[in-house]
Amino acid sequence: MKKLNKLWAVYKRPIAVIGLFLSLLGIIFLTRLTSLNHSNFSFIELKTAHADYGWHGIFNDPNYLLLKILRSIAYTFDSSHSLLATRLPNVIIGILTVVIFAWLIKIWHGTRTALLSTALFATSAWVLHGSRLGNNDVLYLMLVPALLLTVAALQRHATKPIVFYGSMLLWGAFLYLPGAVWLIGLTIFWERKALKQAWLHFNTLKNRALYVFSTLIWLPLLIINLGRFGEAKQWLGIPHNLPSTLELIHKLWEVLFNLMIHGPSNPSIWLYKAPMFDVFTLLMAVFGIYFYIKHWRVGRARILLSYFVVGAILIALGGPVSLSLIVPLIYISVATGVAYIIHEWLQVFPINPFARIIGISLVVIAISLSSIYNLRAYYIAWPN
């Protein structure tokens, strides 16, 4: 009991902060989950609800594995395949994505920037759409932050078993997300030195066997699925009929246009012709990109660029890969931009406490207004 009291005395503040953070996320992601669009299934949600689940369904189509597992559990408890059971797995993955994003930004830029940028990410209308609609987009939202978190962890603690084997297991799970194999391959390439260091460190037979197990456990079902007609192309994230070079260039421009000017013309997932990002978010993203250009030799900048280029090409090809794949990259640039602006301001006023408070307060106000704008766009404008 005394040990518990001591642990509580040490960790009560972090526990309280984490509890408040998760409670706020729960409110944002669960509010009017089934009533926002008049309690109706969208077309894609009808397909989701009528698909096969359980062991049989997963064996026949293991794509989007993490969501399939959660939906199988949800439909076990709700055999009617209700709207709530269809959307709740997306909410769980969405909340986990925000937590991963916050954790990543905390490692890279500290607690203050993590709190500020996560507020923007969690209230983003696009993130809310992907996390509250019963489709598969939320896994693409999760992919980049999760891979980057493994990168950050391997760079710092490659020789810790939980980091090394945990990364292997996570990469294996994402192999069942169409198109993800390219980004996993990039991650392995960029972190090859850390992986080699870990491999040399875990040199006992037991550790090597655990490594082989964490790698091979995913392969049997994957190999069986790739043997089915058309599955190899879907797994690679490419369409059955590849576009011409001119069509690909046009689609790449469309991807950039959707990101910078207005979102896709699809009323089921987006407010028609509304921009995906508000002015403040775009401005912070520009500052973040400027920072990475200035520090091009830093490995992080090259990883982010490689993810963006490959992601944009996969989306432009018109296969199963969603625009949601590269949205987190924009918000990571936003977080870097916020950190850069605050750092520059504090460099100008290193001592004056009043000026420091004014600068940070202005950023907090801007982020608050941006969050309110996005929440109104999603909860009020889109349903009407």
Side-chain angles (χ1 to χ4, degrees), residues 1-312:
M1 192 65 183
K2 288 183 178 180
K3 288 184 177 180
L4 287 176
N5 289 333
K6 287 181 179 179
L7 288 172
W8 172 250
V10 174
Y11 294 109
K12 63 179 179 181
R13 184 175 177 181
I15 291 172
V17 171
I18 292 171
L20 177 62
F21 176 63
L22 293 177
S23 298
L24 290 173
L25 286 180
I27 292 170
I28 293 170
F29 280 72
L30 290 170
T31 297
R32 298 176 63 193
L33 181 60
T34 59
S35 61
L36 188 63
N37 58 345
H38 311 294
S39 303
N40 293 326
F41 282 89
S42 67
F43 174 73
I44 189 65
E45 287 176 321
L46 285 173
K47 290 181 65 177
T48 298
H50 289 101
D52 289 332
Y53 294 96
W55 295 115
H56 182 266
I58 291 173
F59 178 80
N60 288 326
D61 182 13
N63 292 316
Y64 311 103
L65 181 64
L66 293 177
L67 268 177
K68 287 277 179 70
I69 292 172
L70 289 178
R71 285 170 182 159
S72 297
I73 295 170
Y75 291 147
T76 298
F77 291 97
D78 185 351
S79 58
S80 66
H81 292 205
S82 68
L83 190 58
L84 177 62
T86 301
R87 292 180 175 176
L88 194 57
N90 285 60
V91 170
I92 294 171
I93 296 292
I95 290 176
L96 186 57
T97 299
V98 174
V99 171
I100 290 171
F101 179 88
W103 193 357
L104 172 68
I105 301 304
K106 183 182 184 298
I107 293 172
W108 280 0
H109 299 298
T111 303
R112 178 174 57 202
T113 302
L115 290 173
L116 294 173
S117 57
T118 301
L120 285 172
F121 184 67
T123 56
S124 161
W126 189 271
V127 172
L128 290 171
H129 274 288
S131 302
R132 289 165 51 92
L133 193 67
N135 58 15
N136 299 315
D137 272 15
V138 69
L139 285 178
Y140 287 107
L141 281 173
M142 186 187 200
L143 177 61
V144 167
L147 291 181
L148 289 174
L149 185 60
T150 64
V151 167
L154 285 169
Q155 288 175 348
R156 289 162 173 76
H157 308 292
T159 56
K160 286 189 175 181
I162 191 172
V163 171
F164 182 67
Y165 299 120
S167 297
M168 298 299 107
L169 289 171
L170 188 64
W171 294 349
F174 275 121
L175 282 175
Y176 291 89
L177 179 62
V181 62
W182 300 103
L183 272 69
I184 294 171
L186 282 173
T187 306
I188 293 171
F189 171 76
W190 290 117
E191 294 308 306
R192 59 193 183 278
K193 291 182 179 179
L195 292 172
K196 181 180 179 181
Q197 177 191 1
W199 173 257
L200 294 174
H201 177 78
F202 299 117
N203 55 8
T204 65
L205 181 61
K206 176 185 174 182
N207 287 330
R208 294 285 170 87
L210 187 57
Y211 167 76
V212 172
F213 173 78
S214 63
T215 305
L216 297 183
I217 188 175
W218 306 104
L219 293 185
L221 184 58
L222 183 65
I223 292 170
I224 292 171
N225 191 52
L226 290 176
R228 296 172 178 138
F229 178 76
E231 287 297 328
K233 282 191 172 181
Q234 183 174 8
W235 181 66
L236 291 171
I238 58 179
H240 293 293
N241 299 310
L242 291 172
S244 66
T245 304
L246 288 177
E247 288 174 330
L248 180 60
I249 293 172
H250 174 75
K251 289 293 184 180
L252 282 170
W253 163 247
E254 191 175 296
V255 169
L256 296 175
F257 186 79
N258 287 156
L259 290 173
M260 306 305 296
I261 308 300
H262 70 69
S265 301
N266 185 350
S268 66
I269 63 169
W270 195 247
L271 184 63
Y272 183 64
K273 289 191 175 181
M276 286 182 63
F277 308 103
D278 58 87
V279 174
F280 174 77
T281 300
L282 282 176
L283 184 61
M284 290 299 104
V286 169
F287 280 120
I289 293 168
Y290 169 74
F291 175 85
Y292 285 124
I293 291 173
K294 280 183 64 178
H295 300 84
W296 170 243
R297 294 187 179 276
V298 177
R300 189 186 307 171
R302 299 181 184 185
I303 294 173
L304 294 176
L305 179 62
S306 65
Y307 280 5
F308 184 86
V309 171
V310 171

